[in-house]
């Protein structure tokens, strides 16, 4: 299963909506992946400064259960704005053999 993850902290005139982020993520699917099941996780109104986000935590539960093989995000900072947290997440993805892709 492929996870598409979007996060938006606050409404700003120039910020990209979660729906638009998910469209970018879908565009990153390879032709042979388009028939594979995808699942979306959205955290609208959550800061990237911490990992206490419902959608993110739900996605990570599935990662730890071995249900997710790939995670696609619009931009790296959608996962986390903390470099330490980001590196820990990437290490966890590696442990569970999860490919990570950012559209930008």
């Amino acid at each position: 299963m492929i996870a598409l993850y979007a996060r938006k902290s606050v409404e700003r005139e120039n910020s990209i909506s979660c729906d638009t982020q998910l469209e970018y993520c879908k565009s990153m699917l390879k032709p042979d992946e388009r028939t594979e099941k995808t699942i979306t996780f959205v955290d609208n109104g959550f800061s990237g400064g911490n990992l206490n986000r419902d959608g993110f935590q739900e996605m990570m539960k599935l990662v730890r259960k071995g249900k997710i093989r790939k995670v696609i995000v619009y931009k790296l900072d959608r996962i986390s704005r903390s470099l330490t947290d980001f590196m820990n997440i990437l290490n966890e993805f590696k442990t569970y053999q999860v490919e990570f892709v950012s559209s930008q």
Side-chain angles (χ1 to χ4, degrees), residues 1-5 25-26 28-30 32-41 59 67-72 98-99 101:
M1 187 167 19
I2 298 173
L4 310 177
Y5 179 77
C25 293
K26 288 176 189 171
M28 295 302 296
L29 292 169
K30 296 175 184 171
D32 62 323
E33 294 174 332
R34 293 176 195 235
T35 57
E36 191 170 340
K37 184 175 180 181
T38 60
I39 184 168
T40 59
F41 298 93
M59 179 182 74
K67 305 278 187 192
I68 304 288
R69 71 164 198 86
K70 185 174 192 175
V71 172
I72 304 175
V98 174
E99 182 182 353
V101 176

Side-chain angles (χ1 to χ4, degrees), residues 14-85:
N14 64 346
S15 63
I16 295 176
S17 72
C18 287
D19 288 341
T20 301
Q21 289 179 44
L22 293 172
E23 287 305 313
Y24 275 104
C25 293
K26 288 176 189 171
S27 75
M28 295 302 296
L29 292 169
K30 296 175 184 171
D32 62 323
E33 294 174 332
R34 293 176 195 235
T35 57
E36 191 170 340
K37 184 175 180 181
T38 60
I39 184 168
T40 59
F41 298 93
V42 176
D43 285 315
N44 209 350
F46 285 86
S47 167
N50 69 64
L51 302 177
N52 296 326
R53 297 175 255 140
D54 295 341
F56 177 78
Q57 290 300 326
E58 196 60 37
M59 179 182 74
M60 292 306 294
K61 281 181 192 172
L62 291 178
V63 164
R64 293 175 187 120
K65 289 181 180 179
K67 305 278 187 192
I68 304 288
R69 71 164 198 86
K70 185 174 192 175
V71 172
I72 304 175
V73 297
Y74 166 65
K75 282 175 58 177
L76 297 177
D77 68 358
R78 298 302 85 196
I79 286 285
S80 179
R81 289 195 173 273
S82 160
L83 184 56
T84 302
D85 286 344

Side-chain angles (χ1 to χ4, degrees), residues 84-99:
T84 302
D85 286 344
F86 183 72
M87 294 306 296
N88 289 336
I89 293 162
L90 287 184
N91 284 331
E92 193 161 359
F93 285 169
K94 185 177 179 182
T95 298
Y96 291 97
Q97 299 175 338
V98 174
E99 182 182 353

